[in-house]
Amino acid sequence: MSTQQDQIKRIGVLTSGGDAPGMNAAIRAVVRSCVYYGIEPFGIYRGYEGLIENDVEQMNAGSVKHIIHQGGTILKSARSPQFKTKEGMAQAWENIQEHELDALVVIGGDGTFKGAMEFGNKYDFPIVGIPGTIDNDIYGTDFAIGFDTALNTVVEAVDKIRDTATSHNRLFFIEVMGRDAGFIAMYSGIGGGAEEVLIPEKDRGIEQLFESLERTSKRNKSSRLVIVAEGDKNGSVYDLEEQVKEQFGDRYETKVTILGHVQRGGRPSCGDRVLASRLGVLSVEALRDGKRDIMVGIRNRKVEYTELDHATKRNPKMDKELVRVADIISI
Ligand code: ATP
């Protein structure tokens, strides 16, 4: 008699959307868990683009050796407009059938999950998602793969900027990534000791920044760092600099730094490697248990399965406690 677990014999894995440090550790965990459970793993290169172009290769435990410590993704990543079309999806389905895949593990952000959901529903095909994005903007997990490493990169840069800011008595505006979410800004702002953190989730207007600068002026601070999420609603870091100049004249010597893509790369932190390894194993086990259309995550130290529909539609909330802590310690 065949059991649920016998039905999954071949699993394809891909990385899609923006790359994130730790994706390799997740690929490794998916491939090794497949081998452990007697499932044949297949690597799909360049996300959905590679699925459409049949860029698919059988993998084994050895294919993922020496990658746990590498940033980026050995499977490459891509954004695939074609996958949003009927023809693109049909071609992807043809290739899945050709390789006799029984399920997919997709590692990426909410766009990747939207694509997975549409494809899974259309062809009645089991797919499990693993959250991998430095922005951490995915509902259903405390942390996405890559976030922790990106924070460490940002804080290292902020520490360096602090040195020069202090030496010259400067006010720095530092823009960090995060798209519409302020998680990188908030965590790195606290960890980097920023005087002010501007995030889209809690827009307090430019007046708040003026007040804060006025207040800290009285304390004769030797440097001021303002961390700005790229999605902040008060304009770009250059706009902010301009507004501060208009308000205070030449009271502050201002500088702007946009950290940009350094935040995406680099060796994954141990935290990201462990998270990625856990989620990789869980994704394969979930498929063996007959789960589908879900994302695996860890919340409050517990394994959690979130429907892809929820993971894509809901936004994770900014923890009010973090905002409060940032306010208190930046007086
Ligand atoms: P990141 O958060 O790092 O940007 P992401 O997964 O959100 O990662 P996207 O570029 O938004 O990155 O999505 C990845 C890919 O998923 C898209 O290039 C596209 O191929 C596919 N995709 C996104 N939305 C849909 C959709 N509604 N239908 C089909 N495919 C989609």
Side-chain angles (χ1 to χ4, degrees), residues 27-46:
I27 296 166
R28 175 178 180 268
V30 169
V31 169
R32 297 238 162 131
S33 325
C34 281
V35 174
Y36 179 86
Y37 286 115
I39 298 166
E40 291 180 74
F42 286 74
I44 299 158
Y45 289 88
R46 296 179 293 115

Side-chain angles (χ1 to χ4, degrees), residues 16-20 23 48-49 78-85 89 107-116 118-119 132-135 137-138 179 264:
S16 158
D19 64 312
M23 279 183 163
Y48 296 129
E49 199 66 15
R79 303 195 195 267
S80 170
Q82 232 194 315
F83 193 67
K84 294 185 179 171
T85 66
M89 282 213 178
I107 307 167
D110 64 343
T112 300
F113 296 161
K114 272 184 205 146
E118 296 219 0
F119 187 78
T133 166
I134 63 164
D135 302 334
D137 56 352
I138 305 275
R179 279 202 304 200
R264 277 199 187 283

Side-chain angles (χ1 to χ4, degrees), residues 52-198:
I52 293 170
E53 291 174 13
N54 211 5
D55 200 355
V56 181
E57 197 174 86
Q58 181 149 15
M59 298 180 95
N60 55 47
S63 339
V64 288
K65 67 180 178 199
H66 307 319
I67 64 166
I68 195 166
H69 59 295
Q70 288 173 17
T73 155
I74 58 159
L75 290 177
K76 316 274 183 196
S77 190
R79 303 195 195 267
S80 170
Q82 232 194 315
F83 193 67
K84 294 185 179 171
T85 66
K86 221 167 93 184
E87 297 73 25
M89 282 213 178
Q91 188 57 52
W93 177 237
E94 216 169 273
N95 296 334
I96 281 186
Q97 287 174 300
E98 185 191 316
H99 294 285
E100 297 178 9
L101 301 182
D102 301 306
L104 274 187
V105 173
V106 297
I107 307 167
D110 64 343
T112 300
F113 296 161
K114 272 184 205 146
M117 215 169 53
E118 296 219 0
F119 187 78
N121 289 339
K122 194 172 167 84
Y123 295 102
D124 190 21
F125 187 69
I127 305 184
V128 164
I130 296 181
T133 166
I134 63 164
D135 302 334
N136 206 40
D137 56 352
I138 305 275
Y139 177 84
T141 189
D142 289 336
F143 300 113
I145 296 166
F147 178 59
D148 186 58
T149 307
L151 289 182
N152 287 311
T153 304
V154 171
V155 165
E156 198 181 326
V158 167
D159 290 348
K160 288 176 177 162
I161 292 170
R162 168 82 68 190
D163 288 345
T164 177
T166 309
S167 304
H168 292 273
N169 235 328
R170 281 172 179 160
L171 163 60
F172 267 86
F173 293 97
I174 306 168
E175 186 193 281
V176 299
M177 282 183 165
R179 279 202 304 200
D180 300 327
F183 296 103
I184 295 183
M186 184 48 71
Y187 277 80
S188 65
I190 292 175
E195 274 61 34
E196 196 65 42
V197 182
L198 305 185

Side-chain angles (χ1 to χ4, degrees), residues 251-272:
R251 190 194 298 179
Y252 301 105
E253 188 188 345
T254 55
K255 293 281 171 200
V256 165
T257 300
I258 297 177
L259 291 185
H261 280 80
V262 291
Q263 294 164 90
R264 277 199 187 283
R267 294 175 53 196
S269 66
C270 183
D272 272 331

